[in-house]
Amino acid sequence: MRRRIAPLPARGILRLGAGGGIWRKRAVSVVVAAAVPNLVLLALGRLDLAVYTSAGSLCALYAHGEPYAARARTLAWVVLGMAAGTGAGLCTAALTDSTALRVAVAALLAAAHKIACDAARIGPPGNVIFTFTAASCAFLPQRPQDVPFHVGLTLLAGAFAWLVGMAPALVRPHGPERLAAALALDAAARLRAAGPDAGGRARHEAAAAINAAWHTLRATRTRARPALERLVVRAESALAGAAVDPAELAGWARGLRGSGPVPVPAPLPGESAELAGIAAAARSGSARGPRALAAALRPGSPLLPIGARVAAGAALAGWVTMAMGVERPYWAVVTAASVFQANTTLSWSRAAQRVVGNLAGLAVFTALVPVTRLAPVLLVLAVLALSFAAEAGMARNYWLGTVWVTPMALMMSEFAGYQPAGEMVLERWLDTLAGAALGMLCCVVVTNRRATGRVESALDRLASAADAGRALRAAGDAAPADLAAARDRLAGALVELREAADVAAGEWWQGALPEERVAGAERDGHRLLAALAPAAFTAPTAPAAPTAPAASAGAAAPAAGRA
């Protein structure tokens, strides 16, 4: 098979983005979740225990894009996973004094975190937080009899983080669903604004946002769901080629981001039947949750080579820095684990961003440490401020976020006692260079040879979904539920194919990609997706006020739209 060598990019790695998204929710949540236990421990004179509660507090960073019912389950698993990783690290520290063995355990935990988080699609901040807490705990002075108490502190702080993550439901109970629908409408508006010559990337982004919105709405059972489904139908009609005004779609999206009622457009002919079909298709949809996670971890999964990269790179980085005289090389393990992304190209960008951000972050730590050591309360306040700044920076670019993460992590290690600042800076710099360099080495050596195979599998799944859709279309009398299920399957296959092709394109040493087949399959798939749309999806929409309920919607519309 002909091989190709993809070049590693040098431009744009440090370019700052717009900083949109929901970073403020994560930033505020983690500050609140950490402030309460840290200040309580400070008042009790036991700030040395904050290193264990901090692991639980960091759980507040997760699941902010999920509906609250799903968020409750996800956050519970995050807290349990964080406690398990923390416990494994503490047991390792208590049972062995061998630095080499501690590095090996931390590297295996890093690989497990990477595979599990990628398979579960847990979202930002992904596996790095789990690895940071577990690896740092593996190098803490520890006695076996203290491990249950310390893990209990992590669980207690994690339970409070769970409450913090769920608290917005009291004032905005439909916020995640509204945001998902707004993102779908915005993507559809960009697609329609681009006109008939819109590129494949814009069409893929719209299909992915709409597919994500449907999955989000299916995970909720709120009064606002019918009104939000009607808006996602409008977004899907734009994807199907309907004459929808982009400004109207964008106006509905703005209304969803506000605090007023859900925008209610004028009903379309046959829309009720289509929404009923969508609901029926959702009830018989594909399995999700633990069963989907188990399927993603099956033998032959493309995640397994990534896990091997993480384990090898993290262990090698830790052992090398250990040989260089670093006593607690957990930062090298964390750096190597953070480098590994879906492919070599993305890993190269992350490695460069990590090195630049850590170097600047060490300078920030050096400047702040004389102030934070004046009083413990200043140390606590500095950690809280840096955690907020870290989330703000991550929204712009990973390197900017690490500028604040680096001093925050170093100051968190000082909860247990002050250390020589110069020695800490030198060790972290050595850890960063070794972790980034050896992590990239493992990315190059341990190639993901299954990436091309994943593209072939995605092409087969798309072909199967397309055949089923054509058969329904040819029948001419398919039920709305069957059409909705066929569209959902086809859209999911299109999204999966684009993701698989993007991952494979970023591997530096890979078999030749079937680029023409991929392009043709995507083009035909999107055409079929449009052809499967019924009249309710493709009829031109009548002008409607973006924030006022339609008269035919009845009195339930305003109540359903409150968030």
Side-chain angles (χ1 to χ4, degrees):
M1 178 186 294
R2 181 174 63 87
R3 297 280 172 180
R4 60 177 180 82
I5 299 178
L8 298 178
R11 299 180 59 183
I13 292 178
L14 304 181
R15 183 180 299 120
L16 297 180
I22 57 175
W23 69 266
R24 292 179 183 83
K25 301 178 186 295
R26 290 194 295 268
V28 172
S29 295
V30 75
V31 168
V32 174
V36 172
N38 285 355
L39 292 175
V40 169
L41 291 174
L42 180 64
L44 295 175
R46 293 302 310 270
L47 193 57
D48 58 300
L49 298 176
V51 66
Y52 308 109
T53 60
S54 295
S57 300
L58 290 171
C59 296
L61 291 169
Y62 290 90
H64 286 278
E66 296 188 19
Y68 290 107
R71 183 183 301 187
R73 296 189 296 270
T74 300
L75 280 177
W77 282 110
V78 166
V79 171
L80 292 175
M82 192 71 74
T86 300
L90 293 177
C91 287
T92 302
L95 297 176
T96 180
D97 292 328
S98 170
T99 302
L101 185 56
R102 291 180 178 185
V103 167
V105 172
L108 291 175
L109 288 173
H113 294 150
K114 177 65 176 176
I115 292 174
C117 289
D118 283 7
R121 296 177 179 266
I122 198 169
N127 61 296
V128 178
I129 300 296
F130 292 95
T131 299
F132 167 68
T133 57
S136 59
C137 285
F139 290 90
L140 289 175
Q142 198 71 202
R143 297 182 304 174
Q145 60 267 31
D146 293 334
V147 171
F149 174 60
H150 293 160
V151 174
L153 289 175
T154 298
L155 285 171
L156 187 62
F160 180 68
W162 186 94
L163 292 175
V164 171
M166 297 301 297
L170 299 176
V171 295
R172 193 173 168 83
H174 314 307
E177 301 96 302
R178 288 173 66 123
L179 177 61
L183 292 175
L185 289 165
D186 279 334
R190 290 193 297 270
L191 176 65
R192 298 311 303 162
D197 297 328
R201 177 62 61 177
R203 187 165 291 277
H204 162 72
E205 290 175 354
I210 292 168
N211 192 51
W214 282 127
H215 283 296
T216 299
L217 292 179
R218 288 168 186 172
T220 183
R221 295 290 185 272
T222 65
R223 291 179 298 173
R225 176 174 162 174
L228 292 171
E229 284 178 337
R230 293 178 65 185
L231 291 171
V232 179
V233 163
R234 295 300 194 277
E236 196 165 12
S237 72
L239 185 64
V244 184
D245 184 4
E248 189 173 39
L249 294 171
W252 289 330
R254 287 192 299 273
L256 288 176
R257 286 188 169 91
S259 58
V262 172
V264 181
L268 297 176
E271 183 181 61
S272 298
E274 298 306 327
L275 289 175
I278 290 169
R283 289 192 293 270
S284 60
S286 59
R288 298 179 64 83
R291 285 186 293 171
L293 176 60
L297 297 176
R298 68 190 184 281
S301 168
L303 295 176
L304 297 182
I306 297 177
R309 284 175 171 177
V310 173
L316 188 59
W319 289 332
V320 167
T321 53
M322 179 188 71
M324 296 168 65
V326 176
E327 293 184 2
R328 298 192 297 174
Y330 70 90
W331 195 254
V333 173
V334 175
T335 298
S338 69
V339 163
F340 297 105
Q341 302 300 302
N343 55 44
T344 307
T345 300
L346 293 176
S347 298
W348 156 252
S349 298
R350 180 57 56 88
Q353 292 163 351
R354 180 88 182 188
V355 170
V356 172
N358 278 9
L359 176 59
L362 290 173
V364 173
F365 173 75
T366 303
L368 290 178
V369 73
V371 177
T372 60
R373 292 187 177 182
L374 292 175
V377 66
L378 296 177
L379 177 63
V380 171
L381 294 177
V383 169
L384 296 177
L386 288 169
S387 64
F388 187 93
E391 291 306 309
M394 289 292 180
R396 304 293 302 276
N397 192 300
Y398 180 79
W399 76 265
L400 186 58
T402 57
V403 170
W404 313 111
V405 168
T406 301
M408 180 190 74
L410 291 173
M411 290 177 187
M412 287 172 63
S413 69
E414 295 205 313
F415 286 151
Y418 296 133
Q419 305 170 47
E423 182 180 325
M424 292 176 66
V425 170
L426 177 60
E427 288 186 350
R428 294 305 169 266
W429 185 230
L430 292 175
D431 284 345
T432 297
L433 292 178
L438 295 173
M440 273 307 304
L441 176 64
C442 288
C443 282
V444 172
V445 173
V446 186
T447 59
N448 189 355
R449 300 179 183 275
R450 296 173 183 170
T452 304
R454 183 187 171 194
V455 174
E456 295 288 348
S457 299
L459 282 168
D460 292 341
R461 282 189 284 273
L462 178 57
S464 176
D467 289 342
R470 292 189 188 96
L472 277 177
R473 187 186 177 205
D477 57 349
D482 294 334
L483 281 174
R487 287 194 304 272
D488 183 63
R489 183 183 176 192
L490 184 60
L494 284 166
V495 171
E496 182 182 359
L497 175 59
R498 176 40 43 199
E499 290 179 352
D502 287 344
V503 168
E507 284 296 339
W508 80 281
W509 178 256
Q510 190 61 256
L513 295 178
E515 296 178 359
E516 293 185 2
R517 285 180 58 203
V518 169
E522 286 184 312
R523 181 178 60 253
D524 294 343
H526 281 294
R527 287 175 178 171
L528 179 59
L529 192 64
L532 288 172
F537 281 43
T538 56
T541 58
T547 58
S552 60
R562 289 290 175 190

